[in-house]
Amino acid sequence: MRPFLILNRLAFRLAQTLAVLPLIMLVAVGQAQTYDLLLKGGHLIDPKNEIDAPRDVAITGGRIAAVAQEIPVGRAKSVIDVTGLCVAPGFIDIHVHVFENDRGGDLWADIGLRAGVTTAVDAGSAGWRTFPAARREVIERARTRVLAFLNIAAGGIGRSENKLDDLDPAAAVKFIEQHRDAIVGIKTAHWASATWDSVERALEAGRLANLPIMVDFGHFLPQRPFEELVGKRLRPGDIYTHLYISAVPMLDHQGRLRPYLLEAQRRGVIFDAGHGQGSFSYRQAVPATRDGFWPNTISTDIHKGNINRGMKDMANVMSKFLNLGLSLPEVIARSTWAPARAIRRPEYGHLTVGAGADIAVFKVLKGDFGFYDVLGGKVEGSQKIECELTLRDGEVVWDLNARSMSRWQDLPPNAPTK
Ligand SMILES: [Zn+2]
């Protein structure tokens, strides 16, 4: 081929490209994304994606549309300035009580939104006989995503947990098959007899349904040692809740952590905080965490008996671990991605592009704070997590300081109720 022909062809290609260039640019401009909402200037902590850095987060259609160091404000229909605040996946609290058992509930399920909780897992308030009302009254109506551990006892908490005939794995599993979208595991709690029946039946249901179980050990009795529960009986992925309750044989005579606990954790048993009204003692938590025994998942065990006591809310329980020496990214990991994995819902607990925009925006306050346990034992601390904004599917559902609102003078005449 002669050189001038090659040049000719190159020139032709160039002319072709130049001719279509305006068209390409036009298409690009037409496709330039306009986001629904931009969280601008925050510090993102997204443990699943190993991000702990300044990032803007854009949302479209209730989903994460972009995460980048710099997203121009002009590309979003609305912008919330979150400078100086942390942005994280919405918290996942895997131990709550938001069903009123056979009365269904009264929608206090949304109380966790104030503390950044976008997914709340009811821990066995209902069994299969009482779950339909809970589903109708709470799960279908709450703004929070509500999931559940089904109580192995058909009548749920406080009624039939010690009636052996009510602990029927086959009946529970048959029921679970109809409610797999909402039931993430099986719970047993408050068992008082000196036998393993409740644990065995929950485990059988867990095996049949291929779901994890969560155990509140109830009465700690020598005939069924706790060491055997976490050392042998629970399978990897099963959850023991209330890890710092006073009854756990936690420390040796020198006040050091007994090694079987870390061994069980290494074996894959998930230790859940489950603070509650009676299940978090600094006498256990301070020496245990000093020796490296932290909860895999941070949870509240929130119910009406503890919101005005030492527990308070998810942010307060997370703050307790922060002040015991767990780093902020670790606290967030154990309140987002770790619980998402524990309930086998890997679609939650992170802010990957495409994921649902469930987001907690919070401040880490610095100052003189105090935290108390279920015995009234106090620990002083210098940091406190305070939730400023909670977003559920991209919509602001909690706004502590009116950051997403307009000045009243700027509202249109027909402004809707917020
Ligand atoms: Zn509980």
Side-chain angles (χ1 to χ4, degrees), residues 204 376 384:
E204 192 185 341
K384 189 175 215 171

Side-chain angles (χ1 to χ4, degrees), residues 23 72 85 91-92 127-128 163 179 189 208 219 232 250 256 272 283 303 315 320 339 353 370-371 402:
L23 191 64
L85 303 180
F91 305 142
I92 300 176
W128 65 263
K163 281 191 210 156
H179 297 270
L208 290 170
H219 300 255
K232 286 200 186 102
M250 180 90 57
R256 304 304 304 260
D272 176 56
R283 283 183 189 157
H303 55 76
K320 287 186 173 183
V353 170
F371 303 90

Side-chain angles (χ1 to χ4, degrees), residues 95-97 123 157 187 189-190 214 216 241-242 274 276 301-303:
H95 189 155
V96 307
H97 293 281
I157 211 163
K187 175 90 185 283
H190 311 130
M214 176 187 271
D216 160 335
T241 190
H242 304 316
D301 188 14
I302 192 169
H303 55 76

Side-chain angles (χ1 to χ4, degrees), residues 10 18 33 86 122 148 152-153 203 205 245 294 303 349 386 390 410 415:
L10 277 175
L18 286 174
Q33 224 170 340
C86 292
D122 186 280
I152 186 63
L203 278 169
I245 200 169
W294 297 95
H303 55 76
E386 185 175 74
T390 305
D410 300 336

Side-chain angles (χ1 to χ4, degrees), residues 269-286:
V269 173
I270 293 167
F271 288 86
D272 176 56
H275 186 302
Q277 188 174 337
S279 307
F280 179 93
S281 165
Y282 277 128
R283 283 183 189 157
Q284 301 274 58
V286 171

Side-chain angles (χ1 to χ4, degrees), residues 4 20 23 41 51 54 109 116 132-133 138 144 162 196 209 230 234 256 278 295 312 316 321 352 357 364 372 407:
F4 80 90
V20 298
L23 191 64
I51 301 173
V138 181
T144 308
N162 279 289
W196 288 99
V230 298
L234 293 187
R256 304 304 304 260
K312 296 183 174 62
N316 190 62
F321 290 104
T352 311
V364 181
Y372 67 98
R407 290 189 337 137

